[in-house]
Amino acid sequence: MSQAPPIYSALKVKGRKACEYARDGQELPIQLEKRDMQVDDCTLLDWCEPGQHDFKYPGDDEPAAAPAARIRLTVCSGFYVRSFAHDLGIACQSRSHMATLLRTRQATYTTHDPADSPELTNAITYADLETGEDIWGPKIRPQLEAWVLSNPVATGHVNGRSEETKQRRAAEQSERPKQRFRGGYVADTKKERIKQQGGKYKGKWSRKPATGGAVPDSTATTAEDPAHIGTTVA
């Protein structure tokens, strides 16, 4: 089905979120285009006549004097249930809006206990957290154990390369064909290659102290030392 996102969505319009235009009371520069969505299941669970439900209009304290319905949907990612309720009212030549939304499944997680399929994982709800660790602990333990098995801790070295990596790099270095230079093979290290080409290696510890020129004496003074000045008492 084709669906137009609501104006309160987070989709960007001219570099700005659509919900920001709506909150500021501004119209959208362009209309949001409809997108193709996949609906795998759409089931009517309950139909309530006026006075048989507790759903309210926004801002009202009393239940709405209008019929209400509970619908179960299985849809693709990016589906807007609020837009579905709006479009459903137009299709029925009326108006409608979403009063409540309960998400029971996301990807491979579900709130159904037990799960509907062995491929699904029980998700932890806020109600589970309020009851205590005795309830949500058994649910999360299998997930943590599966994660630990799929993400083993790296062993073999703490800092630097492991011994296996060092051996592999040494084997690659020995198998690499060497280039020739002036009748011999090019040296392996940078220091040896510079010397081989007649240059001087200027390493970290190869600097020599400067020669020539007088070194100024930092201890020389032009004034007399006050400690050696004598005093005469008349």
Side-chain angles (χ1 to χ4, degrees):
M1 62 173 293
S2 297
Q3 183 185 72
I7 60 175
Y8 285 97
S9 64
L11 297 178
K12 292 292 186 67
V13 180
K14 300 293 185 179
R16 190 181 178 190
K17 294 182 180 180
C19 58
E20 295 178 356
Y21 288 99
R23 291 169 182 170
D24 295 341
Q26 302 176 1
E27 295 184 359
L28 297 179
I30 58 175
Q31 294 296 328
L32 297 176
E33 298 181 357
K34 291 187 176 182
R35 302 182 299 176
D36 293 335
M37 293 293 170
Q38 181 178 352
V39 180
D40 297 330
D41 179 44
C42 180
T43 304
L44 177 63
L45 301 179
D46 291 323
W47 174 264
C48 302
E49 295 293 339
Q52 298 179 355
H53 60 83
D54 297 331
F55 299 116
K56 305 174 183 178
Y57 288 123
D60 291 351
D61 297 332
E62 299 295 332
R70 292 179 61 247
I71 301 175
R72 181 179 62 200
L73 295 171
T74 303
V75 296
C76 64
S77 177
F79 187 89
Y80 290 95
V81 181
R82 184 183 292 110
S83 295
F84 171 80
H86 176 267
D87 298 341
L88 182 61
I90 295 177
C92 297
Q93 299 181 356
S94 180
R95 296 181 180 180
S96 64
H97 75 282
M98 183 185 68
T100 60
L101 174 63
L102 177 62
R103 189 186 302 273
T104 60
R105 178 179 172 182
Q106 177 69 32
T108 59
Y109 292 91
T110 179
T111 58
H112 292 164
D113 191 11
D116 301 334
S117 171
E119 299 178 355
L120 300 178
T121 304
N122 289 333
I124 298 176
T125 62
Y126 287 106
D128 296 335
L129 296 177
E130 293 176 355
T131 54
E133 186 176 353
D134 295 338
I135 301 299
W136 59 262
K139 287 187 177 182
I140 199 174
R141 182 182 298 276
Q143 303 176 31
L144 295 178
E145 292 177 350
W147 185 89
V148 171
L149 292 177
S150 59
N151 297 272
V153 179
T155 58
H157 66 91
V158 179
N159 294 320
R161 299 189 180 99
S162 62
E163 191 64 28
E164 181 181 356
T165 303
K166 293 180 180 179
Q167 295 177 1
R168 178 177 55 81
R169 292 179 64 89
E172 294 176 354
Q173 185 71 19
S174 61
E175 296 175 358
R176 184 180 304 169
K178 293 185 177 181
Q179 299 180 357
R180 300 187 66 85
F181 177 78
R182 294 180 181 177
Y185 290 106
V186 176
D188 294 332
T189 63
K190 180 179 179 181
K191 179 179 180 180
E192 295 175 351
R193 287 195 297 269
I194 293 176
K195 290 183 177 181
Q196 189 181 44
Q197 297 173 8
K200 294 183 178 180
Y201 178 74
K202 297 181 180 180
K204 183 177 181 181
W205 307 108
S206 63
R207 296 182 180 179
K208 297 181 180 180
T211 57
V215 179
D217 187 4
S218 60
T219 61
T221 58
T222 57
E224 295 182 353
D225 189 353
H228 297 283
I229 298 178
T231 57
T232 303
V233 179

